[in-house]
Amino acid sequence: MNGQSIELNGSSNGDLLAQNQMKGWWTIGLINGLHKYMTAETFGYKLNSNGVSLKKKQLWTLEPSNTGESIIYLRSHLGKYLSVDSFGNVLCESEERDAGSRFQISIAEDGSGRWALRNESRGYFLGGTPDKLVCTAKTVSKGEFWSVHLAARPQVNLRSVGRKRFAHLSETQDEIHVDANIPWGEDTLFTLEFRADEGGRYALHTCNNKYLNSNGKLESQCTEDCLFSAEYHSGHLALRDRHGLYLSPIGSKAVLKSRSQTVTRDELFSLEDSLPQASFIAALNSKYVSVKQGVDVTANQDEIGENETFQLEFDWSAHRWALRTTQDRYWCLSNGGGIQATGNRRCADALFELVWHGDGSVSFRSNNGRFLATKRSGHLFATSETIEDIAKFYFYLINRPILVLKCEQGFVGYRAQNSNKLECNKATYETILVERAEKGIVHFKGHNGKYWRIDGDGITVDADTPKDGFYLELREPTRICIRSTDGRYLGATKNGTFRIVEGGSDSATQWEY
């Protein structure tokens, strides 16, 4: 399976990501009737519509206006606002919003979900040619319609604005129910796949490799009834099927299906970053860390369940992590040095530094400067001043049974249609199945059923059995490093080569996942 994925309130570009963490801000690409992207060139503030894929120059930040729910601003990757001057020229040179930079969104009535952008000041519609942008049309024709490609974030949580609940797979795994208070586990992960060849519509793809039909059932194949157009409403997303009906949670089970012809809060959704959820095995006794016994955080379980899975939440000011339990409490350093699930995010004693090691393990440095150590009883205490086996834990990323990897150059995918060699500059992604092995090792498997193999410096997906293992190292909420078991990291080059690199973590690529 391949596709392209969606993101709200963020971007595939690191600089834009930090800027766009605001309600109602989308990062998008705009595709004209000739299937070319609106582009802001790096030099000279030149504008055109000749981009062939969604990369940095084709990214636009959609910012809401206070003057109406469909009035927006468009800001380029250079931080400049798209505007129309009094002579009708389309410019992108100002860092300030003004009357000429306001555009009104109109949705095509043909069910395609395409947008027309009418400049509020001039009253004309925005169009694009390979050489420039124009705003001279009084009425909308094919040249003034744009398909909206929401910028790539591989996997997200889907939250209903009306119900204030998150979507998840039903227990029977044949429907999506929108009734989860917290997005916990892989069943709450969804990918909105952009289908450029289907008129720029989207398919909602679940973690069990199925697609949502507008009738509320999950299908193995993506059919016409599994495709939806994306609409912007006051900073939120509405998904409209080919019959003109909108998705919403229906009934006591909150089954996600199409019903209404109009948009209310029930038809609105936000797509939120899926935070990493992980389990840890103590190197001392090979037991999973758990809160099953109560508030004590103890390495004493043989299997993974909800009590052995913890959500990692990054504190950007402290550059440390908080570990949240399914009971909505946080690991916390107690007065006696023990670790108990009694804290909250605002407490410094609930923040830990993650220190990664070459053997695939990780250590937790607590607020007292010492590392968490496993006692013979399994209890964790922040007493170790050095990193020994008692202070090491093996890390498993639980809520990513499928990975999608992206870097500055693009997605990780196959070099060519019939190739098993991976590159990292692709416009579309390939899904990567993750299989857990012992001591933090994972094996990666392609959609062809073959395993990853280190081939020279590159990666080939052609092994019948697991050959080369890898470790995942969490760097930021949406970024990981990938280390081979011989201590080298996976890196990206500017020409799109996906390869093993020599040197330490400084030379590694932080992969968006």
Side-chain angles (χ1 to χ4, degrees):
M1 190 280 294
N2 59 31
Q4 295 194 16
S5 59
I6 179 174
E7 173 214 3
L8 302 189
N9 300 335
S11 166
S12 58
N13 178 265
D15 294 335
L16 285 175
L17 176 61
Q19 298 170 8
N20 294 350
Q21 297 296 328
M22 296 183 66
K23 181 180 179 181
W25 292 30
W26 293 10
T27 307
I28 63 174
L30 291 166
I31 308 170
N32 68 8
L34 299 176
H35 309 292
K36 299 293 185 180
Y37 285 86
M38 182 190 297
T39 300
E41 298 294 351
T42 305
F43 300 105
Y45 305 117
K46 300 294 184 181
L47 300 169
N48 58 61
S49 292
N50 62 13
V52 296
S53 63
L54 185 59
K55 294 191 176 181
K56 185 175 182 178
K57 292 189 294 185
Q58 289 75 38
L59 288 173
W60 295 87
T61 301
L62 183 157
E63 301 177 5
S65 165
N66 297 327
T67 59
E69 75 157 28
S70 62
I71 306 295
I72 55 98
Y73 300 92
L74 290 170
R75 183 163 51 86
S76 75
H77 67 100
L78 298 171
K80 311 294 185 180
Y81 285 96
L82 191 71
S83 65
V84 181
D85 68 13
S86 58
F87 300 102
N89 299 309
V90 182
L91 308 172
C92 195
E93 300 179 5
S94 175
E95 295 181 359
E96 302 295 331
R97 298 175 172 185
D98 57 33
S101 57
R102 287 200 294 269
F103 292 86
Q104 182 176 21
I105 300 171
S106 299
I107 306 296
E109 294 298 327
D110 59 4
S112 66
R114 294 176 301 165
W115 293 10
L117 297 169
R118 178 180 175 271
N119 184 259
E120 190 181 49
S121 177
R122 293 278 297 171
Y124 294 101
F125 290 92
L126 183 69
T129 71
D131 299 320
K132 64 179 181 178
L133 299 185
V134 294
C135 194
T136 56
K138 291 185 177 181
T139 59
V140 183
S141 65
K142 181 179 178 181
E144 287 73 47
F145 275 122
W146 301 87
S147 296
V148 180
H149 183 178
L150 290 128
R153 169 81 66 207
Q155 294 163 315
V156 293
N157 299 131
L158 183 67
R159 183 180 184 271
S160 166
V161 173
R163 300 229 176 187
K164 299 180 180 178
R165 296 292 185 272
F166 289 90
H168 66 96
L169 277 181
S170 64
E171 289 187 6
T172 54
Q173 296 206 333
D174 61 348
E175 293 178 334
I176 296 174
H177 293 174
V178 190
D179 59 1
N181 292 323
I182 300 173
W184 206 268
E186 61 188 61
D187 286 353
T188 61
L189 279 180
F190 299 94
T191 305
L192 270 180
E193 293 179 3
F194 180 70
R195 299 293 181 113
D197 55 348
E198 299 285 355
R201 291 177 291 172
Y202 293 85
L204 188 60
H205 187 218
T206 62
C207 70
N208 63 343
N209 207 24
K210 294 189 176 181
Y211 295 91
L212 178 67
N213 189 300
S214 58
N215 65 13
K217 294 299 181 182
L218 297 181
E219 309 286 351
S220 298
Q221 301 296 323
C222 184
T223 65
E224 272 288 309
D225 286 323
C226 298
L227 295 173
F228 304 89
S229 56
E231 295 185 8
Y232 179 93
H233 293 269
S234 299
H236 297 294
L237 174 74
L239 293 169
R240 188 183 187 188
D241 70 16
R242 67 189 183 105
H243 304 293
L245 303 179
Y246 293 91
L247 284 180
S248 63
I250 305 297
S252 59
K253 292 184 178 180
V255 179
L256 188 60
K257 60 194 297 186
S258 293
R259 182 179 67 174
S260 176
Q261 292 182 324
T262 59
V263 176
T264 68
R265 288 178 63 83
D266 285 339
E267 286 72 41
L268 295 178
F269 298 90
S270 61
L271 298 183
E272 303 183 5
D273 285 339
S274 173
L275 298 179
Q277 294 170 355
S279 291
F280 304 95
I281 295 178
L284 178 70
N285 60 12
S286 299
K287 301 287 187 180
Y288 285 99
V289 176
S290 174
V291 289
K292 187 175 183 178
Q293 57 286 329
V295 297
D296 288 342
V297 181
T298 309
N300 63 356
Q301 295 298 309
D302 294 319
E303 297 179 351
I304 298 175
E306 281 196 348
N307 291 311
E308 292 73 46
T309 303
F310 305 96
Q311 182 163 287
L312 288 99
E313 302 176 2
F314 194 65
D315 186 302
W316 286 96
S317 60
H319 281 267
R320 292 187 291 169
W321 297 84
L323 290 97
R324 184 182 189 179
T325 73
T326 188
Q327 294 85 17
D328 202 21
R329 304 300 295 173
Y330 292 84
W331 292 20
C332 188
L333 176 65
S334 65
N335 290 333
I339 304 300
Q340 294 187 322
T342 57
N344 62 67
R345 275 290 306 274
R346 296 182 182 145
C347 172
D349 283 335
L351 295 175
F352 300 85
E353 178 188 353
L354 301 186
V355 180
W356 299 94
H357 310 302
D359 60 359
S361 65
V362 63
S363 295
F364 301 90
R365 195 197 307 268
S366 69
N367 198 42
N368 65 3
R370 297 180 178 180
F371 295 98
L372 302 196
T374 307
K375 302 298 183 182
R376 290 190 177 182
S377 63
H379 289 84
L380 304 189
F381 281 80
T383 57
S384 181
E385 295 184 355
T386 59
I387 297 173
E388 310 168 52
D389 280 348
I390 59 171
K392 289 184 176 182
F393 301 84
Y394 296 110
F395 166 85
Y396 291 106
L397 190 59
I398 298 302
N399 64 335
R400 292 297 191 279
I402 297 174
L403 278 180
V404 174
L405 298 176
K406 190 173 185 297
C407 66
E408 288 279 341
Q409 283 70 47
F411 288 106
V412 172
Y414 292 105
R415 175 178 295 172
Q417 187 172 0
N418 297 319
S419 172
N420 290 324
K421 197 80 171 178
L422 292 176
E423 292 184 339
C424 57
N425 60 353
K426 317 310 290 184
T428 58
Y429 64 74
E430 293 294 335
T431 52
I432 304 161
L433 301 178
V434 182
E435 293 185 359
R436 294 196 299 268
E438 60 181 7
K439 294 188 175 181
I441 295 173
V442 294
H443 299 289
F444 297 131
K445 193 175 186 180
H447 73 273
N448 60 359
K450 303 292 186 179
Y451 290 90
W452 284 23
R453 176 176 63 86
I454 299 175
D455 182 13
D457 287 336
I459 300 293
T460 302
V461 189
D462 63 357
D464 293 325
T465 57
K467 178 175 175 58
D468 293 307
F470 299 88
Y471 303 118
L472 301 180
E473 299 180 359
L474 201 57
R475 298 300 185 190
E476 293 179 6
T478 58
R479 296 179 186 274
I480 55 174
C481 287
I482 301 174
R483 181 187 287 203
S484 64
T485 51
D486 64 4
R488 297 180 294 169
Y489 284 94
L490 280 174
T493 62
K494 289 185 177 180
N495 64 1
T497 303
F498 183 61
R499 59 191 293 267
I500 296 290
V501 295
E502 301 292 344
S505 58
D506 290 343
S507 61
T509 294
Q510 291 192 14
W511 300 96
E512 203 173 330
Y513 67 96

